Amino acid sequence: MPDAFIYDTVRTPRGRGKADGSLHEVTALNLAAQALSAIKDRNKLDPAQIDDVVMGCVDPVGEAGGDIARAAALVAGFGDSVPGIQINRFCASGLDAVNFAAAHIMSGQHDMTIGGGVESMSRVGIGASGGAWPVDPTIAVKTYFLPQGISADLIATKYGFSRDDVDAYAVESQQRAAKSWQEGRFKNSVMTVKDVNGLTILDRDEHMRPSTTMQSLAALQPSFTQMGEMAGFDAVAVQRYPEIEAINHVHHAGNSSGIVDGAAAVLIGSKEAGARNGFKPRARIRAFANIGSEPAIMLTGPVDVTHKVLKKAGMSIGDIDLFELNEAFASVVLRYMQAFDIPRDKINVNGGAIAMGHPLGATGAMLVGTVLDELERTGKSTALISLCIGAGMGTATIIERI
């Protein structure tokens, strides 16, 4: 089976996902197109070499709908011959897009592809595409449907994480992200978003709050207490997990992922295609996997899929130098660290979505670039990227630096 190599990665800065955010004026289509243009221009890439563009988008409706990958490729000047496909596996869509693009290479059917993702959460609100799971009793009742915030609090309760634990993790994420920006660790991958006149709109993640402290977080009220108690979701959680006497609500806006806008693109190809274009491979994709997990607790899928992808790669947890796990909620990462006894200096070392935000369809592709840059910066070899997923799933990818 041919190897799939990563030749380059690029991402936009993350803009606050509100009407006053810097990227609010930029449509999802334009964000995606700018990411594709950047990867084309910085590699002097002949876009006719691209066999497919695969992009994640979690709410592909309205201006973000209609196969945004194809539309973005056209806007980016890739030409009529380059196709595109949009995929949705909720929060893992961007990583799955990279995996889909890599699978085309590994199957031998394509020579060079782009995987990535986009989400304009300030313009197309989270949940805009709807779905049966929360509202249709034929699926909601049998799976003990819970909103994600309740699931995150359930994880904290079940696995013994206190309010101080999740807040301390959040403070560390903010500190790490701020340090990474100060030291220029993102400079190789973060592009500048510009307006139609070529003027800079945003060149830096703007969701960060570097001054965050345990004291400032302590002033925030838990976000999901009323939902759990008044809407009855706490009772559903206890019914599904009767060993839990009551849910301890510990999550709030300060220790959960931020709502932001952003896009990313990853250039992937075979060894031969890279050589034809004069590209030097930066990493090889060793393995990837998807798995389903228990849907009520929902966010523990990264643990399950890590076992699966390590087995597929013939590796053990000790073979991984760095872990990049999306910080959907602090308890998700704390549970993952607990399950595998991962030290803090090996996971999310440059901060994560709690500090910088989580543009749903793009985050997975962004994490690939973040950890690849860190492997190169530190001279380390292997990394495992994973995300938890709505409805109880997990996706993971292992890359090896060249």
Side-chain angles (χ1 to χ4, degrees):
M1 183 172 66
D3 283 324
F5 293 95
I6 297 174
Y7 288 101
D8 199 15
T9 72
V10 67
R11 74 167 176 92
T12 69
R14 299 168 172 101
R16 283 192 308 273
K18 298 181 179 179
D20 62 352
S22 294
L23 297 182
H24 176 65
E25 67 181 88
V26 186
T27 64
L29 172 60
N30 193 257
L31 275 179
Q34 289 204 37
L36 293 177
S37 293
I39 209 149
K40 176 186 68 169
D41 294 344
R42 63 194 248 156
N43 291 283
K44 298 180 174 57
L45 171 67
D46 174 8
Q49 299 290 314
I50 299 299
D51 293 305
D52 207 357
V53 174
V54 187
M55 300 203 80
C57 185
V58 174
D59 282 299
V61 296
E63 65 184 45
D67 189 358
I68 196 168
R70 167 62 169 168
L74 290 170
V75 172
F78 275 38
D80 295 349
S81 68
V82 179
I85 182 172
Q86 171 268 324
I87 66 169
N88 179 12
R89 200 192 299 272
F90 300 138
C91 295
S93 298
L95 184 59
D96 250 324
V98 172
N99 293 343
F100 277 43
H104 291 160
I105 307 301
M106 297 163 78
S107 70
Q109 302 306 302
H110 289 164
D111 297 320
M112 188 161 287
T113 55
I114 293 175
V118 63
E119 210 78 42
S120 178
M121 300 180 76
S122 69
R123 298 177 63 90
V124 181
I126 186 171
S129 56
W133 188 36
V135 297
D136 188 333
T138 61
I139 180 66
V141 173
K142 69 184 294 184
T143 58
Y144 298 87
F145 168 76
L146 298 173
Q148 280 197 358
I150 305 294
S151 296
D153 286 339
L154 173 58
I155 290 172
T157 305
K158 180 174 174 61
Y159 294 102
F161 306 125
S162 68
R163 171 68 182 263
D164 281 351
D165 291 333
V166 292
D167 281 358
Y169 182 84
V171 170
E172 187 172 50
S173 179
Q174 294 283 357
Q175 293 172 343
R176 288 180 169 186
K179 181 180 180 181
S180 297
W181 270 106
Q182 290 164 4
E183 295 183 355
R185 297 187 186 182
F186 299 133
K187 64 182 179 181
N188 291 334
S189 294
V190 177
M191 53 174 278
T192 298
V193 178
K194 298 182 178 181
D195 65 14
V196 293
N197 298 310
L199 300 176
T200 296
I201 297 174
L202 188 65
D203 60 3
R204 182 182 179 88
D205 296 324
E206 68 173 349
H207 182 270
M208 298 184 299
R209 297 180 178 86
S211 61
T212 298
T213 64
M214 290 292 288
Q215 290 73 29
S216 64
L217 292 184
L220 300 177
Q221 295 298 312
S223 296
F224 307 106
T225 303
Q226 185 173 6
M227 180 187 295
E229 295 177 354
M230 301 297 290
F233 288 115
D234 281 5
V236 175
V238 172
Q239 185 179 25
R240 178 62 184 86
Y241 289 90
E243 68 271 25
I244 304 299
E245 294 184 5
I247 300 296
N248 182 23
H249 292 285
V250 297
H251 287 92
H252 50 74
N255 56 35
S256 306
S257 56
I259 295 174
V260 294
D261 305 332
V266 180
L267 179 62
I268 304 167
S270 66
K271 182 178 180 180
E272 294 74 17
R276 283 199 306 270
N277 287 275
F279 298 157
K280 181 180 178 181
R282 296 175 61 189
R284 177 171 69 96
I285 296 178
R286 288 198 54 166
F288 52 82
N290 297 293
I291 203 168
S293 60
E294 201 282 302
I297 205 166
M298 195 183 316
L299 308 174
T300 56
V303 174
D304 301 324
V305 78
T306 293
H307 287 295
K308 183 176 181 178
V309 77
L310 286 171
K311 183 178 180 180
K312 185 176 292 290
M315 302 172 73
S316 69
I317 202 75
D319 295 324
I320 304 299
D321 295 319
L322 293 172
F323 297 85
E324 201 69 32
L325 174 62
N326 184 40
E327 295 175 352
F329 299 89
S331 66
V332 173
V333 185
L334 293 176
R335 170 56 191 151
Y336 190 80
M337 294 166 62
Q338 180 189 69
F340 296 107
D341 194 25
I342 298 171
R344 293 206 174 198
D345 62 356
K346 293 183 69 172
I347 187 167
N348 297 352
V349 298
N350 291 310
I354 290 173
M356 294 177 285
H358 174 25
L360 304 178
T363 302
M366 289 183 170
L367 297 185
V368 173
T370 296
V371 80
L372 177 52
D373 284 344
E374 185 64 14
L375 288 176
E376 293 174 339
R377 187 185 75 85
T378 59
K380 293 179 179 178
S381 179
T382 57
L384 191 153
I385 306 105
S386 187
L387 299 93
C388 59
I389 308 173
M393 293 181 282
T395 295
T397 305
I398 297 173
I399 66 172
E400 180 179 37
R401 181 176 65 89
I402 300 298

